């Protein structure tokens, strides 16, 4: 029987380059096991290397630096005109080369097994050596890969794995990090087994009869020298592990080959996977060779029906649903791109709390763990490959994306391209589209494909999609990034093709900032002087852009969904600002996942609960005696504003919009908004001038976690009444008992503080610390700062199940 062994722990890391630097160094191009030198050598002394666990991002550990380019390559990316280099667009942190080494044992009982090493993701261009053998090179930084290392391992003894990672190249134009940044595991299998991601299960649903036909396709690998009769057994269980159905089939598996076994079964009284009830079944695949059980694969799956209509949009289980999605890069404060399952769960929960129901993995395939979380939490996923190309290596990446995603009910759409400005209008792109489409449909016929088209060719913009029709008509679903003026025009030209808005503007800005200051990297989208305050001039004037696009979208039934750019801030792309800004400000939440004001605009129109939010905060010491504007996000019928007891009037809330009271006299005290529904007051929201900073408050995302999981602790500086002081910027020092420090952040896009030191300055009253739980017991986190009462929190740590 097979088993998986986690390989995340106990690596040695060196930042810098050492020989060997390619597969032909020394005698490597001529002889086997020729890498007995440099970092691949078994006798190399790595005792002075740093001990690390993976996932790991070594680029985030560097220092920010300004570095301009001599060419204008960023001018080819829409809205990136303020970026003077790929380095700046990538977060002003320099990529580099690093080496990882790990020693591990292979048990004696593995002599007749197959042994594989899996990498969830390495950014990028990795070369893998094992026991002084060259194993392989993998360039893509965004797809998983594995090697069959059976012939290279030392069975019954110690093995040395060495990985060179070259993160100097770029695949995108955002922060991409560097290192073994996803999970690594060893897999030991029998010589007849299911292929990796080789079990595919999908359902054909009969909504009227509440039943489903379950289709299963299993790829069986035979690594023997002889043919063999193989029995493939499938058992379906409900969420309580009660057996519901079983089927067996016998196939002839030929020597050193693979074969597909297709089976089906019917289920009655099915429970459908839905956003409100993400119900999951389990498929157990048993493979028998010559009567002996050689492999078991457990596959979680959901039963649901998706559909698109050119006039009515998207349907889930026969119900018309508007897809309200967020585009997301995968980096986070404190960890960079290093995959962290606890942080992923936190981020998805934050997105769902504002009413989002879909996640776009921009612009690459996500981790297995993210898809599993979205399955369990009821979040749709728009999955996409990194590069639009039918070159062999790119088709391989597309195939990996599909095989990873196809059993996950959350995945509803595949994308084959994003803003392909150099090629999206060219006739050969139609051929590329069809090739990639065939590759996807061969592996998964159950989901549609799209491509994210932008009305821009690197030189000029267009207000319609006429020049793309001959290419994009080959897509199952037309996708537009922005280009609001083209939506209706394209729908008239292609009335039978469904459409989705694959990317749209949010109302950008810095959390808690109400004045644009390019010198500090802070941007306020409602600052009327943005055109004068920012060197990028007109590109900095974005007032109402997000609201206009959402309102325009919401009024069109034919549009299936929309994905806002972005759910959370990310490192890099700080447009429209210049250095020292190093984070984007497109996010509806900041880099730590703290909501910005516009979070409540979208919550007002995306969620089903009454919402009322006013801003700015009321600690505007520089504005005493001045007239200011007060804004309100709400989904109530009307809102009345009071400032220190004086009414500034009741205003009717127009659907999908917001309210503004102009020329409000600012004086310390309080601003109160009263919200009305059907003529009755139903909600009150107050912002008040706080007292002086007094204490530190620590709030863990979860009070109970498992050994090895990450505790996410949000930190507030409050006054005596426990109200967050929205201007506090104290330097906070952390200490940890029963856990390991991972990183910190504060959401300040102009901050150049290290994420890897247990000290962080609060930004507008908030910061965040991530800690890893060591072992069963209690983990204690303390936070200290001058003139503030210390904050302490405890998290109970339980043993892994």
């Amino acid at each position: 029987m097979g088993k998986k062994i986690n390989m995340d722990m106990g690596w040695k890391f060196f930042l810098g380059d050492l020989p060997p630097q390619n597969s032909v160094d020394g005698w490597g191009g001529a002889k086997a096991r020729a890498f007995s030198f440099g970092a691949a050598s078994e006798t190399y002394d790595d005792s002075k290397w740093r001990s690390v666990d993976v996932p790991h991002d070594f680029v985030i550990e560097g220092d920010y630096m300004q570095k301009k380019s001599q060419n204008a390559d960023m001018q080819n990316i829409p809205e990136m005109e303020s970026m003077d280099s790929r380095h700046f667009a990538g977060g002003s942190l320099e990529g580099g080369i690093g080496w990882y080494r790990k020693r591990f044992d292979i048990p004696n009982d593995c002599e007749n097994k197959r042994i594989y090493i899996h990498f969830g993701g390495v950014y990028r261009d990795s070369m893998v050596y094992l026991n002084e053998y060259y194993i392989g090179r993998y360039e893509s930084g965004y797809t998983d890969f594995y090697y069959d290392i059976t012939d290279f391992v030392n069975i019954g003894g110690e093995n040395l794995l060495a990985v060179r990672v070259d993160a100097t190249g770029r695949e995108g134009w955002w922060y991409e990090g560097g290192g073994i940044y996803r999970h690594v595991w060893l897999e030991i299998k029998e010589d007849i087994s299911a292929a990796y991601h080789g079990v595919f299960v999908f359902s054909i649903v009969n909504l009227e009869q509440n039943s489903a036909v379950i289709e299963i396709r299993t790829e069986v690998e035979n690594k023997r020298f002889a043919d063999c009769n193989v029995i493939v057994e499938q058992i379906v269980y409900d969420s309580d592990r009660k057996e519901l159905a079983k089927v067996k089939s016998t196939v002839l598996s030929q020597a050193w080959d693979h074969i597909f076994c297709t089976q089906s079964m019917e289920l009655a009284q099915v429970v459908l996977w839905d956003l409100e009830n993400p119900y999951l079944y389990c498929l157990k695949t048993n493979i028998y060779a010559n009567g002996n059980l050689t492999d078991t694969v457990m596959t979680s799956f959901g039963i649901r029906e998706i559909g698109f209509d050119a006039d009515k949009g998207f349907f889930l289980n026969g119900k018309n649903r508007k897809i309200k999605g967020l585009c997301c890069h995968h980096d986070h404060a404190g960890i960079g791109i290093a995959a962290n399952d606890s942080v992923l769960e936190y981020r998805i929960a934050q997105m769902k709390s504002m009413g989002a129901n879909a996640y776009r993995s921009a612009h690459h395939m996500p981790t297995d763990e993210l898809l599993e979380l979205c399955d369990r939490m009821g979040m749709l996923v728009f999955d996409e490959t990194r590069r639009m190309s039918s070159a062999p290596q790119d088709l391989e990446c597309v195939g990996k994306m599909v095989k990873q995603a196809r059993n996950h009910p959350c995945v509803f759409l595949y994308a084959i391209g994003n803003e392909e400005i150099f090629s999206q209008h060219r006739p050969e792109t139609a051929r590329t589209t069809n090739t990639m489409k065939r590759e996807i449909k061969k592996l998964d016929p159950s989901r549609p494909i799209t491509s994210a088209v932008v009305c821009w060719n690197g030189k000029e913009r267009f207000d319609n999609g006429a020049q793309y029709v001959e290419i994009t008509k080959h897509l199952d679903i037309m996708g537009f990034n922005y280009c609001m003026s083209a939506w209706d025009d394209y729908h008239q030209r292609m009335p039978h093709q469904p459409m989705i808005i694959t990317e749209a503007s949010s109302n950008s800005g810095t959390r808690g900032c109400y004045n644009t200051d390019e010198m500090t990297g802070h941007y306020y989208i409602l600052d009327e002087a943005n055109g004068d305050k920012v060197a990028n001039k007109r590109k900095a004037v974005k007032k109402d852009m997000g609201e206009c696009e959402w309102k325009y979208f919401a009024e069109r039934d034919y549009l299936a969904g929309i994905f806002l750019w972005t759910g959370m801030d990310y490192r890099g792309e700080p447009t429209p600002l210049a250095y020292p800004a190093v984070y984007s400000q497109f996010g509806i939440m900041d880099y730590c996942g703290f909501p910005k004001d516009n979070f409540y605009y979208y919550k007002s129109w995306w969620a089903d609960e009454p919402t009322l939010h006013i801003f700015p905060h009321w600690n505007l010491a520089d504005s005493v005696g001045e007239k200011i504007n007060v804004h309100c996000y709400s989904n109530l019928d009307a809102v009345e504003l009071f400032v220190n007891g004086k009414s500034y009037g009741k205003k009717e809330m127009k659907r999908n919009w917001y309210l503004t009271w102009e020329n409000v006299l600012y004086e310390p005290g309080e601003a109160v908004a009263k919200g009305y529904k059907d003529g009755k007051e139903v909600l009150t929201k107050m912002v008040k001038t706080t007292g002086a900073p007094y204490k530190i408050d620590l709030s863990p995302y979860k009070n109970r976690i498992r050994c090895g999981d990450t505790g996410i602790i949000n930190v507030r500086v409050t006054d005596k009444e426990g109200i967050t002081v929205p201007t506090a910027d104290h330097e906070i020092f952390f200490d940890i008992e029963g856990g390991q420090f991972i990183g910190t952040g504060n959401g300040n896009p102009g901050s150049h503080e290290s994420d890897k030191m247990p000290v962080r300055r609060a930004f507008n009253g908030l910061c965040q610390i991530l800690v890893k739980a060591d072992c069963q017991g209690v983990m204690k986190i303390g936070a200290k700062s001058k003139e503030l009462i210390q904050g302490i929190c405890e998290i109970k740590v339980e043993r892994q199940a």
Side-chain angles (χ1 to χ4, degrees), residues 110-277:
C110 293
E111 186 62 51
N112 295 313
K113 312 286 188 182
R114 305 303 302 186
I115 304 171
Y116 302 84
I117 186 74
H118 292 262
F119 293 88
V122 178
Y123 193 86
R124 64 176 300 275
D125 193 4
S126 64
M127 283 189 286
V128 179
Y129 303 85
L130 179 65
N131 297 334
E132 300 181 353
Y133 289 95
Y134 171 73
I135 303 301
R137 178 178 184 178
Y138 197 79
E139 292 186 328
S140 173
Y142 291 105
T143 49
D144 64 353
F145 60 97
Y146 68 92
Y147 298 109
D148 184 341
I149 58 174
T150 305
D151 299 341
F152 308 102
V153 295
N154 178 19
I155 294 176
E158 186 179 71
N159 295 264
L160 172 70
L161 180 65
V163 184
R164 180 183 185 269
V165 180
D166 184 350
T168 58
R170 298 186 185 276
E171 296 184 46
W173 51 94
W174 52 87
Y175 174 74
E176 298 186 277
I180 302 176
Y181 74 97
R182 293 182 177 177
H183 297 295
V184 181
W185 65 97
L186 196 71
E187 188 173 25
I188 301 172
K189 304 174 72 173
E190 300 291 341
D191 52 11
I192 292 183
S193 64
Y196 179 57
H197 283 155
V199 177
F200 173 37
V201 53
F202 66 98
S203 52
I204 303 170
V205 181
N206 187 320
L207 294 175
E208 291 183 358
Q209 297 183 10
N210 194 28
S211 63
V213 175
I214 309 300
E215 299 281 351
I216 308 160
R217 186 167 62 196
T218 306
E219 182 181 2
V220 179
E221 287 186 335
N222 183 348
K223 294 292 186 178
R224 295 181 180 178
F225 288 119
D227 297 350
C228 182
N229 284 319
V230 172
I231 295 174
V232 180
E233 179 184 57
Q234 310 285 3
I235 308 171
V236 174
Y237 299 90
D238 66 13
S239 62
D240 296 322
R241 290 299 186 262
K242 176 184 177 182
E243 183 178 318
L244 300 179
K246 180 190 293 187
V247 65
K248 286 185 179 180
S249 302
T250 301
V251 293
L252 177 63
S253 177
Q254 295 184 328
W256 207 256
D257 204 350
H258 62 94
I259 191 171
F260 290 92
C261 177
T262 301
Q263 299 159 290
S264 66
M265 59 184 82
E266 293 188 20
L267 293 180
Q269 301 302 312
V270 296
V271 181
L272 298 177
W273 184 93
D274 208 334
L275 301 178
E276 293 75 26
N277 180 33

Side-chain angles (χ1 to χ4, degrees), residues 640-690:
E640 186 173 7
L641 176 69
F642 296 85
V643 177
N644 295 326
K646 175 185 176 180
S647 174
Y648 278 81
K650 181 190 289 188
K651 295 192 174 189
E652 179 184 351
M653 178 66 71
K654 294 183 179 179
R655 185 164 182 79
N656 296 312
W657 206 244
Y658 66 99
L659 298 176
T660 300
W661 288 266
E662 298 178 336
N663 298 315
V664 174
L665 179 65
Y666 175 77
E667 294 289 349
E670 62 183 34
V672 177
K674 295 184 178 181
Y676 298 86
K677 184 74 173 178
D678 298 325
K680 296 180 180 179
E681 181 183 331
V682 294
L683 274 180
T684 300
K685 176 68 177 181
M686 178 178 68
V687 293
K688 63 184 294 186
T689 307
T690 70

Side-chain angles (χ1 to χ4, degrees), residues 62-125:
D63 296 324
Y64 295 102
M65 56 183 286
Q66 190 172 14
K67 181 180 174 182
K68 296 185 178 181
S69 175
Q70 297 302 313
N71 57 47
D73 54 354
M74 291 308 299
Q75 299 300 311
N76 290 318
I77 307 298
E79 302 302 326
M80 292 294 111
E81 291 88 349
S82 68
M83 304 293 99
D84 58 14
S85 68
R86 292 277 289 276
H87 171 81
F88 180 43
S92 298
L93 289 170
E94 193 71 15
I97 297 173
W99 275 91
Y100 295 84
R101 284 165 53 99
K102 179 179 174 65
R103 297 183 185 273
F104 63 98
D105 294 330
I106 297 290
N108 282 315
D109 61 2
C110 293
E111 186 62 51
N112 295 313
K113 312 286 188 182
R114 305 303 302 186
I115 304 171
Y116 302 84
I117 186 74
H118 292 262
F119 293 88
V122 178
Y123 193 86
R124 64 176 300 275
D125 193 4

Side-chain angles (χ1 to χ4, degrees), residues 587-774:
I588 296 167
M589 288 163 272
D590 72 11
Y591 201 39
C592 298
F594 297 132
K596 304 178 186 178
D597 291 309
N598 58 339
F599 175 97
Y600 299 95
Y601 170 74
Y602 293 104
K603 184 174 183 176
S604 295
W605 306 115
W606 286 18
D608 295 327
E609 62 188 80
T611 300
L612 180 61
H613 177 78
I614 57 172
F615 62 98
H617 60 68
W618 221 246
N619 280 39
L620 305 174
D622 294 337
S623 299
V624 175
E626 297 180 2
K627 300 288 184 68
I628 66 170
N629 292 342
V630 177
H631 307 281
C632 175
Y633 295 140
S634 181
N635 51 11
L636 300 176
D637 296 339
V639 180
E640 186 173 7
L641 176 69
F642 296 85
V643 177
N644 295 326
K646 175 185 176 180
S647 174
Y648 278 81
K650 181 190 289 188
K651 295 192 174 189
E652 179 184 351
M653 178 66 71
K654 294 183 179 179
R655 185 164 182 79
N656 296 312
W657 206 244
Y658 66 99
L659 298 176
T660 300
W661 288 266
E662 298 178 336
N663 298 315
V664 174
L665 179 65
Y666 175 77
E667 294 289 349
E670 62 183 34
V672 177
K674 295 184 178 181
Y676 298 86
K677 184 74 173 178
D678 298 325
K680 296 180 180 179
E681 181 183 331
V682 294
L683 274 180
T684 300
K685 176 68 177 181
M686 178 178 68
V687 293
K688 63 184 294 186
T689 307
T690 70
Y694 178 72
K695 63 181 179 180
I696 303 171
D697 177 76
L698 303 182
S699 300
Y701 168 58
K702 288 185 175 181
N703 293 309
R704 190 183 300 263
I705 63 176
R706 299 171 302 174
C707 297
D709 286 352
T710 296
I712 303 159
I713 300 97
N714 291 332
V715 183
R716 298 186 303 136
V717 177
T718 74
D719 65 7
K720 283 187 177 181
E721 296 181 28
I723 301 173
T724 302
V725 180
T727 55
D729 64 351
H730 296 69
E731 192 173 40
I732 299 175
F733 297 83
F734 298 97
D735 58 83
I736 302 158
E737 296 179 20
Q740 301 173 41
F741 169 75
I742 295 177
T744 59
N746 62 11
N748 182 358
S751 172
H752 292 188
E753 298 170 90
S754 171
D755 282 22
K756 291 301 182 179
M757 296 292 289
V759 55
R760 194 72 183 207
R761 190 171 293 279
F763 176 61
N764 291 335
L766 305 176
C767 64
Q768 184 179 81
I769 181 172
L770 308 178
V771 292
K772 182 179 180 180
D774 274 344

Side-chain angles (χ1 to χ4, degrees), residues 274-287:
D274 208 334
L275 301 178
E276 293 75 26
N277 180 33
Y279 189 91
L280 295 172
Y281 291 87
C282 181
L283 174 70
K284 183 178 184 179
T285 302
N286 291 323
I287 294 177

